[in-house]
Amino acid sequence: MHLFSENLAIEVASYYRNIVLGHGATPKVFTMVNGDGDQYLFFIDDLQMERVDEDQFLAYIVQQHDALTYARGTLVIVDQSQQFIEFAVVDKDDQQAIVCSAELTRDLEDKPIALSEFEKTLVKRESIVFGHLYDPVKLSDEKTEDYESLWEEMKAKILHRSMAI
C-alpha cells in the first residue's frame, strides 16, 4: 500500500470530521492523488448523474489523471438511530483497500453532534462496490467528450492542490 493511501485515509477521516461536525453536512466525497502529487477532491452529488454514469465518469478521471490512489465516501443509514460515515481508499498497485467507518450520532433535531473514531479495516479491493475504477473503461467518442466537458465545468468546484513531490 502506498504511503499516499495511508495518508489519504487519515486526511479523509479528518475532512469528514470537520465538515460533519463543523457544518452539519455529510457529502458523498471523491478524492484522488496522482504520481505528480496532484490531489483533486469534490462532492459526488455535484455530478448530478445516475450511478452507472457516475462510476464511468470517476473511472475516466482516475485513468486520465493516472491516479495512484483514490477515496470515495458516503453516509450509510442503517436506521434513524444508527448511521455511519464510511469511505474506502483504493490503491492502484494493491489488491487490498482500506475501508474506514465511524458512527455518527445526531441530536433530537437531527443535527450531527458526535462522530466516533474511524476504524480501519483492510479488505480485498474487488469486494468494494466502487473498487474497480482502475479497470479499463471503453467509452464512445461522444461520451469521452461529455466527460472532458464535465471535468472542465467541475474545475470551479474541485479542490485541487499540489503536494510538490
Side-chain angles (χ1 to χ4, degrees):
M1 180 106 5
H2 279 113
L3 184 58
F4 278 143
S5 297
E6 295 284 342
N7 288 338
L8 196 59
I10 293 166
E11 185 177 300
V12 172
S14 177
Y15 177 79
Y16 264 121
R17 182 167 304 287
N18 290 336
I19 197 159
V20 169
L21 298 177
H23 300 282
T26 312
K28 293 178 185 174
V29 171
F30 183 82
T31 186
M32 66 180 177
V33 178
N34 67 21
D36 294 330
D38 288 317
Q39 181 182 8
Y40 303 91
L41 181 140
F42 58 89
F43 298 153
I44 294 173
D45 292 332
D46 287 347
L47 297 175
Q48 300 178 4
M49 297 177 151
E50 294 295 320
R51 177 66 191 257
V52 173
D53 286 329
E54 183 180 284
D55 289 345
Q56 279 187 341
F57 175 73
L58 294 176
Y60 169 78
I61 63 169
V62 161
Q63 293 167 30
Q64 284 297 111
H65 290 275
D66 198 23
L68 294 178
T69 186
Y70 66 84
R72 187 171 177 177
T74 193
L75 175 67
V76 176
I77 300 174
V78 177
D79 59 42
Q80 192 60 28
S81 65
Q82 198 171 28
Q83 299 181 6
F84 296 89
I85 294 176
E86 294 185 345
F87 66 89
V89 180
V90 180
D91 188 299
K92 184 176 186 174
D93 297 326
D94 201 324
Q95 292 307 307
Q96 292 195 351
I98 303 169
V99 173
C100 300
S101 180
E103 189 165 7
L104 178 63
T105 305
R106 296 180 183 270
D107 65 13
L108 295 174
E109 295 172 355
D110 205 32
K111 293 180 183 171
I113 57 171
L115 187 62
S116 68
E117 291 300 314
F118 279 91
E119 294 181 20
K120 291 188 219 175
T121 307
L122 286 177
V123 301
K124 292 197 179 296
R125 178 164 86 185
E126 68 229 16
S127 70
I128 299 172
V129 173
F130 50 84
H132 303 281
L133 299 183
Y134 290 115
D135 295 350
V137 61
K138 300 281 187 207
L139 301 173
S140 67
D141 291 342
E142 182 180 331
K143 189 66 96 171
T144 299
E145 287 177 21
D146 289 347
Y147 288 166
E148 286 173 4
S149 294
L150 177 57
W151 183 252
E152 286 300 315
E153 287 174 30
M154 290 286 296
K155 281 187 177 178
K157 297 178 180 180
I158 296 172
L159 172 66
H160 173 243
R161 70 178 181 170
S162 180
M163 297 176 194
I165 297 173

